[in-house]
Amino acid sequence: MPAMEDPELPPAAWTVLKFGGSSVADPAHWPTIERAVRDVIARGERPILVCSALAGVSDDLEQLLAELDNGGSGEERIARLRRRHEKLAAALEVDADQLLEGCRRELDELLLSAHHLPRLPAALRAQIMALGELMSTKLGAAWLRKRGLSAEWRDARELLVARPPLPGASAQQQYLSASCPYDSDRTLQRQLEGIRAEVVVTQGFIARNSEGFTVLLGRGGSDTAAAVLAAKLQAKGLEIWSDVPGIFSANPHRIPDARLLEELSYEEAETLAALGARVLHRGSLEPVRTAGIPLQLRWTHDASVRGTRIGAVETDPGFCGISSRHHLCLITVERSTGAAVGFLAGVASCFQEEALSMELVASSPTRIRTVIDLSRAPGIVDRLPSLTKSLGDYGRARIDRAIASVSLVGRDLKSRLPRIARWVASLEDDELLMIDQAANDLSFTMLVPAERADSILERAHADVFEEGDLCADRFGPTWRELNNRQSRQLQAAS
């Protein structure tokens, strides 16, 4: 009688925990990280811990690259990076020399290569930038083992493979702002299920391409990497922990009376992220939304705070938040001669050739105005002269920098248009450059001078977010209330 094949066991129940740079940089936060890991294990699930580089390290590495491009040695900045990691290792009582020796040797080799080049190529930049995440996770995994957890450190480049680059993509796009597919991956699931450790520790921000070279997932790429891993593993949940409790009705660091949003739909969260809510990177939402995985934003400073839960929920009509974006560029194209037919298509083709996204498009037969986000990817500013030249085939192009946007976000905003109109009418003539109502009725955006944006946002929050416009069941405490509560807890503990 032929032997029967063993039936395939069901996939493990994974939960992905992502901790940001401010969380992993402070030794006082590692007990919170440990508790989050143990809570997942206690629920009968398997945790994957995804960590960013220590806060400020990616910025320091970028400054190091700039110094090398300008002929400098970067010695002082390298010494500073080493001191930061040694200080954290000492606080965690783990051996920095042993744990980070491989990363230090790799950096020395990369710097030796860099000194012979007039400008560092994108591939070499990616390798150097990746070291921040590699070092932080080496220290973190060792500390968890010291705390009695069996922790397996894994290089994210073994787990995530970037998509092939688009035709004509620059080296910067290929190596510094890559993206990864997020389809369910049974091969990866089996690979990680074979690990017997209680927790797998890996990095955000980095992956490899099909040739095995290091690539970066762009700014905010740690959130994106965690979401891609969650989708590939068909995880039960994704938790993103940071120095704020979740998404607020406005930037809480600017408006202390902004209120915590305890529940959002995927669409609302994605809109807020796209329009400036920096606590959540927009690239982290599509993978979990496609896979139907709930995403929970948590506060490293106080795990008892509910945070923001994002999922497939039907929220009530009304405003949920207001956000702003800076580093925008307004491009106006005035049609000079010829028929209007094909004007928009021709202008759009110029943006496509330069691999630039048109946002907030307003058009008429003789004029097109659109916005591009200069911070979205490296090298965008360098493409503006070429874009302006190609737009000249369709009309006279003008580029205005120092532009920002202020956006109201919520559901069924068309029913709130009278309220919005009254508020917009209160703006000064030189404060409003352009308006845009999203086709999905989730946002209403005003384009404004950058120096006026903060004042306009504060006025809008005070005017629009009043009793009667809020869905009280999904709004939590204000940032001011949460800070006061935390202060009282710290005083009681001391």
Side-chain angles (χ1 to χ4, degrees), residues 111-134:
L111 293 175
L112 185 62
S113 301
H115 289 314
H116 299 289
L117 300 169
R119 180 173 171 81
L120 275 65
L124 186 56
R125 291 173 182 272
Q127 286 181 275
I128 292 175
M129 290 294 296
L131 291 170
E133 274 70 19
L134 295 171

Side-chain angles (χ1 to χ4, degrees), residues 275 321-326 328 360 403-409 423-424 427 431-432 434-436 443-450 452-461:
L275 295 174
I322 183 166
S323 60
S324 64
R325 281 193 299 170
H326 289 256
L328 301 182
L360 310 179
I403 302 297
S405 66
V406 176
S407 303
L408 292 161
V409 178
W423 185 80
V424 171
L427 299 178
E431 288 182 320
L432 185 60
M434 176 177 149
I435 60 174
D436 175 87
S443 66
F444 184 92
T445 296
M446 294 150 284
L447 213 61
V448 301
R452 305 281 190 93
D454 291 340
S455 170
I456 291 171
L457 184 138
E458 291 170 6
R459 284 152 47 197
H461 188 272

Side-chain angles (χ1 to χ4, degrees), residues 79-100:
R80 175 182 167 182
L81 286 166
R82 288 178 175 170
R83 287 195 299 271
R84 284 208 61 195
H85 289 89
E86 288 168 355
K87 182 178 179 181
L88 177 62
L92 297 178
E93 299 181 340
V94 297
D95 189 343
D97 290 337
Q98 177 187 3
L99 294 167
L100 303 183

Side-chain angles (χ1 to χ4, degrees), residues 13 70 80 124 155 205 231 243 454 475:
N70 292 323
R80 175 182 167 182
L124 186 56
D155 192 323
F205 190 47
D243 58 355
D454 291 340
F475 278 81

Side-chain angles (χ1 to χ4, degrees), residues 17-28:
L17 306 170
K18 184 266 175 179
F19 281 83
S22 60
S23 299
V24 298
D26 189 340

